[in-house]
Amino acid sequence: MTFLDSSVIIDMLAGVPDIVEAVEERGQPYLTSSLCVFEVVDGRVGSGETDVVGVRQQFGGVRALDLNEQIALEAARMQDKLMDDGERMAVRDLLIAATARSTGDELIVSDSDFETGFLTEMMDVTNLRRAD
């Protein structure tokens, strides 16, 4: 399975060739967090009449995992360790990372939001923008 951050889903929807190719090479099934669904859809709203279901259907091949108490507690543990090292992550990103970690899958991203030494020690994070 391949766990995709919202940054990757956005790039795939935009047809960024290198990102599309790298994700397709990893193969399906594709997973993401329900928070990533919100981030992708949120990036398209603003008219007051956005078809949010239609936006979601554009990446319907990506199955969203719901946030639950175990993931919330894992995110809190991760934040505790980050803060002990003097770092702090945005809550949404931490919940996304904890969701990916709960699957045991590599977290695939295309931005720098997840680049912390501690996080990369705890789980596999691949930044497709830096994969060269």
Side-chain angles (χ1 to χ4, degrees):
M1 290 186 267
T2 304
F3 196 96
L4 307 176
D5 175 49
S6 54
S7 59
V8 173
I9 295 169
I10 291 166
D11 284 350
M12 289 187 71
L13 290 173
V16 177
D18 294 347
I19 302 298
V20 171
E21 181 181 333
V23 171
E24 288 178 349
E25 284 175 1
R26 284 173 166 75
Q28 293 189 14
Y30 301 129
L31 300 176
T32 196
S33 165
S34 56
L35 291 168
C36 291
V37 172
F38 169 75
E39 288 181 335
V40 173
V41 174
D42 186 52
R44 305 281 282 283
V45 300
S47 68
E49 297 181 16
T50 304
D51 178 5
V52 296
V53 173
V55 174
R56 174 60 177 110
Q57 288 173 344
Q58 292 175 0
F59 58 106
V62 180
R63 191 180 101 199
L65 302 178
D66 292 332
L67 178 62
N68 62 42
E69 186 173 355
Q70 281 305 115
I71 291 170
L73 292 173
E74 180 60 17
R77 283 186 203 98
M78 293 167 72
Q79 188 77 291
D80 186 49
K81 290 182 181 180
L82 279 166
M83 291 176 69
D84 188 48
D85 288 343
E87 298 184 64
R88 184 174 187 88
M89 280 184 71
V91 172
R92 280 198 310 212
D93 291 338
L94 202 53
L95 289 166
I96 291 164
T99 305
R101 191 162 187 254
S102 76
T103 68
D105 295 318
E106 172 185 32
L107 173 59
I108 310 297
V109 304
S110 65
D111 62 22
S112 62
D113 292 349
F114 297 91
E115 291 181 5
T116 72
F118 167 74
L119 188 63
T120 56
E121 288 174 13
M122 289 191 73
M123 59 188 294
D124 291 329
V125 179
T126 299
N127 186 337
L128 296 178
R129 296 265 183 201
R130 297 185 185 255
D132 299 337

